[in-house]
Amino acid sequence: DVKVTQSSRYLVKRTGEKVFLECVQDMDHENMFWYRQDPGLGLRLIYFSYDVKMKEKGDIPEGYSVSREKKERFSLILESASTNQTSMYLCASSFVAQGAIYSNQPQHFGDGTRLSIL
Amino acid sequence: GESVGLHLPTLSVQEGDNSIINCAYSNSASDYFIWYKQESGKGPQFIIDIRSNMDKRQGQRVTVLLNKTVKHLSLQIAATQPGDSAVYFCAESSSQSNFGNEKLTFGTGTRLTIIP
């Protein structure tokens, strides 16, 4: 089974702090994703990465950055945390079938980090 | 922009009965669809997927039906059990969009409650 592990289940930070959320997957997946999940809004894509050191903006990248130095690890960074970034953050990964251009494969999720910014 | 939605936000079903959860999508170019289950305090769990070259796909106690004509997707759960209580949501993607099927669009979810 795919295992996507997020380093913290709950996190409380203060406004203005730099916050790091870590995600590790153990299935050698090429793609990794960061979402936030808010009531009534569903999952919204922040950033994704299709290879080491490669990243693409999702739908709501403002206020966030990412880092992917190793294939198995994808970090989400809140440069200067604000109260409107209080949310559930979900990491996911998926693989790309050999020879395929796009993965066309399901994304597998971690259990999320519930982040509160005070 | 394109959106994925659900007909009903909540659904209550008697234990042992079958349940059907519906999803409408608006992007006619969508060609890959996924159903996820999310239990309280956990991340979304992959249930089943279907590609646009199929109308129906079956898994263990679950069936997904795809009607491309009316852009409708449904998840059928047979003989529901208490452990099926969760939020279910669909997601879709298009290989024709930027980054192809990498970028999923998610519905907001239906809460399924199994009544003992």
Side-chain angles (χ1 to χ4, degrees), chain B residues 55-95:
Chain B
D55 297 322
K56 179 180 179 179
R57 192 170 188 213
Q58 289 184 289
Q60 189 176 12
R61 285 199 306 117
V62 295
T63 301
V64 56
L65 298 177
L66 176 62
N67 186 328
K68 295 180 286 293
T69 302
V70 295
K71 296 199 277 292
H72 184 267
L73 187 72
S74 67
L75 177 71
Q76 300 178 2
I77 305 173
T80 53
Q81 304 167 358
D84 293 330
S85 293
V87 174
Y88 291 81
F89 50 90
C90 62
E92 57 87 15
S93 65
S94 169
S95 57

Side-chain angles (χ1 to χ4, degrees), chain A residues 9 31 37 59 103-104 107, chain B residues 36 38 41 51 102-103:
Chain A
R9 291 300 305 274
N31 300 323
Q37 185 177 32
D59 298 319
S103 71
N104 212 16
Q107 294 177 21
Chain B
Y36 285 95
Q38 188 172 22
R51 291 167 177 77
E102 315 307 346
K103 192 171 182 301

